Amino acid sequence: MDEEIAKEGFWDKPDEAQNLLKEKKRYENRIADFERVEGGFADVRELIDIAEELEDDGSVKEIQRTYDSLCEDMENLKMSTLLNGKYDGNDAILSIHAGTGGVDAMDWAEMLERMYLRYCERKGFKAKILDLQDDTAAGIKSCTIQISGENAYGMLKSETGVHRLVRISPFNAMGKRQTSFAAVDVVPDMGEGLGVEINPSDLKIDTYRSSGAGGQSVNTTDSAVRITHLPTGIVVTCQNERSQIRNREVAMKILTSKLIQIAEQEHKENLNELRGDMSMATWGSQIRNYVFQPYTLVKDTRTGAELSNVESVMDGNIDIFIRAKLSQDASIK
């Protein structure tokens, strides 16, 4: 197929060629995964027959573990068939912003950051922190993470919205329950060569000194970049690249990805048509409750999916919620 792509002249259009090769690789991986799972179930059937013939009760637990693992793989395969959106195969840019709740909200934002980083570890995704605002008494004000991996955006897109925490606050001397909020926003990483023009007069660009842990970790130059898109109110920042130029390039890529997504949602062909305060669009409606006290329960308000093991969820086990939302969206279509 690579030769066919070359013959069609796609190598003269590197972005299109790269996207086509990525799609080809995704289908190849999906076929390979299906064949592996199919072969695994065949092996389990053979092991069951052998165990019954030899009356080997000792192998039952091992067969059960193998079977459970294959069932989990099968669920992941089912989920991958639901990822048919235009940008589902893209990498993702995930942002977290502390909301109402003071210090507890900033601590909650940091807990969500850890949850998504652990989720990336589970999935074999590569996560890179592009921006982190942590100059607080505890927790973080916001962070932006670039997540690279097969179907990263498709898997994480349903996480966009408000996440609500209920717990006994470790910052409350009276030991009272505290409700805190944080907003998550996920957009597809559109890559470098987008070919989209943004009116420079619509941008306010500020530079500032990157924050750090102190000492040598703090930059002595204004290398961090904050870009505000004035018509929509969208603000993006980047401070973890090595230079102001690179931080600006990455911030512009994030901004363009956000604007393209909003333009498509609003059915606008021209980015200049976008108006109004879109900075609140990332907050949306509350999508999930995380209750730590007086009982433990994580429940998605859209699908009804729930899990009582809060510790597991905060350790990155959020597939149950992602699967439920993908299935719900597929049934609506």
Side-chain angles (χ1 to χ4, degrees):
M1 184 174 178
D2 295 353
E3 292 78 7
E4 293 177 5
I5 294 173
K7 288 178 182 178
E8 292 293 330
F10 274 97
W11 294 128
D12 296 331
K13 304 172 184 177
D15 293 326
E16 292 183 30
Q18 185 178 21
N19 290 336
L20 195 57
L21 290 173
K22 271 185 169 181
E23 187 175 2
K24 172 177 175 281
K25 183 65 175 177
R26 283 197 297 272
Y27 283 120
E28 288 176 344
N29 289 342
R30 192 175 295 180
I31 292 171
D33 287 340
F34 176 80
E35 292 176 343
R36 177 181 56 81
V37 172
E38 184 181 41
F41 279 119
D43 291 341
V44 166
R45 283 193 293 268
E46 289 184 11
L47 289 173
I48 292 173
D49 291 339
I50 293 172
E52 288 180 344
E53 184 177 340
L54 299 177
E55 298 183 353
D56 181 12
D57 295 336
S59 62
V60 172
K61 289 185 178 179
E62 181 61 31
I63 293 173
Q64 184 65 52
R65 278 195 295 268
T66 302
Y67 176 78
D68 291 342
S69 177
L70 288 168
C71 287
E72 178 68 18
D73 291 342
M74 179 60 72
E75 286 299 318
N76 289 330
L77 278 173
K78 288 180 181 178
M79 189 158 54
S80 70
T81 64
L82 302 176
L83 300 175
N84 298 315
K86 184 176 181 180
Y87 301 116
D88 283 355
N90 287 37
D91 295 339
I93 298 171
L94 184 146
S95 302
I96 303 170
H97 299 273
T100 305
V103 177
D104 277 279
M106 290 184 280
D107 188 51
W108 175 225
E110 186 173 45
M111 292 167 65
L112 287 175
E113 177 200 21
R114 178 185 179 277
M115 182 184 80
Y116 288 118
L117 291 176
R118 294 305 300 270
Y119 173 78
C120 290
E121 290 179 12
R122 285 170 174 261
K123 292 297 179 183
F125 292 161
K126 180 181 178 181
K128 178 182 179 182
I129 296 177
L130 300 176
D131 186 73
L132 183 67
Q133 303 294 327
D134 63 348
D135 52 340
T136 64
I140 61 174
K141 292 180 179 178
S142 65
C143 73
T144 301
I145 308 170
Q146 182 182 46
I147 300 173
S148 305
E150 186 174 330
N151 296 322
Y153 173 68
M155 301 284 278
L156 286 164
K157 62 184 180 182
S158 61
E159 292 300 294
T160 294
V162 174
H163 296 244
R164 173 175 174 262
L165 168 69
V166 179
R167 67 171 177 177
I168 294 176
S169 172
F171 307 103
N172 188 309
M174 302 296 291
K176 294 182 178 180
R177 276 201 305 166
Q178 175 77 29
T179 300
S180 309
F181 298 87
V184 175
D185 182 35
V186 185
V187 297
D189 187 339
M190 303 295 190
E192 301 287 350
L194 293 172
V196 174
E197 293 185 7
I198 298 176
N199 191 340
S201 64
D202 287 342
L203 302 178
K204 179 187 176 187
I205 302 177
D206 300 305
T207 58
Y208 58 97
R209 191 163 296 179
S210 300
S211 61
Q216 295 180 351
S217 298
V218 178
N219 271 332
T220 57
T221 60
D222 293 340
S223 61
V225 175
R226 179 189 300 109
I227 301 177
T228 304
H229 186 251
L230 298 176
T232 62
I234 292 175
V235 179
V236 296
T237 57
C238 185
Q239 64 171 316
N240 283 12
E241 297 295 332
R242 293 185 177 183
S243 68
Q244 184 186 120
I245 293 175
R246 183 56 186 157
N247 278 326
R248 179 168 173 161
E249 290 174 350
V250 173
M252 280 300 299
K253 184 177 77 167
I254 297 171
L255 175 62
T256 306
S257 294
K258 287 177 178 285
L259 289 175
I260 289 176
Q261 185 186 49
I262 293 171
E264 293 193 351
Q265 289 173 347
E266 297 293 319
H267 305 291
K268 303 290 187 183
E269 295 182 1
N270 191 332
L271 295 184
N272 291 330
E273 296 178 16
L274 293 176
R275 290 293 182 268
D277 183 10
M278 299 300 295
S279 61
M280 297 302 292
T282 57
W283 290 81
S285 58
Q286 182 175 313
I287 67 165
R288 195 173 301 149
N289 294 314
Y290 303 71
V291 182
F292 284 60
Q293 282 98 14
Y295 53 89
T296 59
L297 181 69
V298 181
K299 183 169 183 176
D300 196 291
T301 60
R302 302 162 299 178
T303 65
E306 60 182 53
L307 197 63
S308 60
N309 190 341
V310 177
E311 290 78 10
S312 176
V313 172
M314 299 313 301
D315 205 33
N317 181 22
I318 58 175
D319 274 334
I320 181 176
F321 308 110
I322 292 173
R323 288 172 182 163
K325 189 64 175 72
L326 286 172
S327 298
Q328 183 185 70
D329 291 344
S331 65
I332 294 174
K333 292 177 182 179

